Amino acid sequence: MPYVNIKLAGEVTREQKAQIAKEITETLERVAHKPKSYTYITFEEVAYEDWAIGGKLLDE
């Protein structure tokens, strides 16, 4: 049972989440032979002020 947790800086639309979930699920089915019904995906949207790269917050 694949479990995929996707963390994103900022927000994405419901439609974008649906497309991402569809494509990741199809990839796991095609490459790893995992049934679609066994694939779980969660989305975590992190505020830019709560994410840093290279020592700088993304909202800077």
Side-chain angles (χ1 to χ4, degrees):
M1 171 177 74
Y3 166 73
V4 180
N5 182 353
I6 301 170
K7 287 190 178 190
L8 300 161
E11 297 180 6
V12 293
T13 67
R14 185 182 192 290
E15 291 77 19
Q16 290 171 315
K17 289 177 190 176
Q19 185 65 34
I20 292 167
K22 178 179 183 276
E23 292 188 22
I24 288 174
T25 300
E26 288 173 352
T27 298
L28 284 167
E29 181 181 48
R30 185 180 70 254
V31 175
H33 309 290
K34 299 298 181 183
K36 289 180 180 182
S37 61
Y38 289 8
T39 300
Y40 293 81
I41 299 174
T42 61
F43 293 90
E44 289 185 57
E45 296 174 329
V46 180
Y48 288 112
E49 66 185 31
D50 295 331
W51 199 308
I53 297 175
K56 293 187 176 187
L57 297 174
L58 293 182
D59 70 343
E60 293 181 353

